[in-house]
């Protein structure tokens, strides 16, 4: 990781509303906006078909976790490194260690947004 990566969060963690999360994603990971829009459409359609709010809750929770990780440059950089290791490493122990650390990062993000551990 480079020395010019800030250690403090780029933005405050937004509330888990569609509008606030969309705004946060636009600021910190604008390339993810198409996926955000597609997943929102799917969640709303599924919620309407099932007459259940669960898909929208899962959507906002998932994107809250995304924002929690991505708003912290050092954590986001490490997360990307670990994703690559987990998929591309030929060393089984290295893959397992990467997946384990990814889990810890996700657990920390869940706790930070008030969900407790996964």
């Amino acid at each position: 990781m480079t020395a010019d990566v800030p250690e403090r969060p780029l933005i405050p963690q937004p509330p888990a509303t569609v509008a606030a999360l969309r705004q946060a994603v636009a600021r910190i990971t604008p390339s993810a906006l198409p996926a955000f829009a597609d997943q929102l459409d799917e969640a709303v359609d599924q919620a309407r078909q099932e007459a259940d709010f669960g898909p929208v809750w899962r959507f906002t929770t998932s994107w809250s976790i995304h924002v929690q990780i991505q708003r912290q440059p050092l954590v986001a950089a490490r997360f990307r490194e670990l994703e690559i290791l987990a998929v591309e490493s030929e060393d089984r122990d290295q893959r397992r260690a990467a997946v384990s650390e990814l889990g810890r990062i996700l657990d920390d993000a869940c706790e930070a947004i008030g969900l407790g551990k996964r």
Side-chain angles (χ1 to χ4, degrees):
M1 288 175 244
T2 61
D4 61 341
V5 176
E7 290 188 37
R8 66 181 193 282
L10 298 173
I11 62 170
Q13 179 68 22
T17 65
V18 172
L21 290 169
R22 181 185 294 117
Q23 189 174 52
V25 170
R27 282 194 62 197
I28 60 174
T29 54
S31 64
L33 279 173
F36 182 95
D38 290 345
Q39 290 175 22
L40 175 59
D41 289 346
E42 290 172 20
V44 169
D45 288 345
Q46 186 178 4
R48 188 174 40 241
Q49 289 169 359
E50 297 172 4
D52 179 17
F53 191 69
V56 176
W57 182 86
R58 286 187 294 277
F59 169 83
T60 57
T61 299
S62 173
W63 282 95
S64 292
I65 292 167
H66 170 88
V67 169
Q68 173 61 22
I69 292 168
Q70 297 301 318
R71 72 190 190 92
Q72 302 171 81
L74 295 175
V75 174
R78 182 64 180 154
F79 196 83
R80 285 188 295 277
E81 290 171 4
L82 292 166
E83 286 179 314
I84 292 167
L85 277 175
V87 172
E88 296 180 3
S89 177
E90 294 183 19
D91 181 321
R92 183 177 179 181
D93 291 335
Q94 192 176 41
R95 283 193 315 267
R96 282 185 179 177
V99 169
S100 180
E101 191 175 341
L102 282 166
R104 284 190 297 277
I105 292 171
L106 289 167
D107 283 344
D108 290 348
C110 287
E111 284 191 279
I113 65 168
L115 292 179
K117 292 195 182 217
R118 297 174 289 123

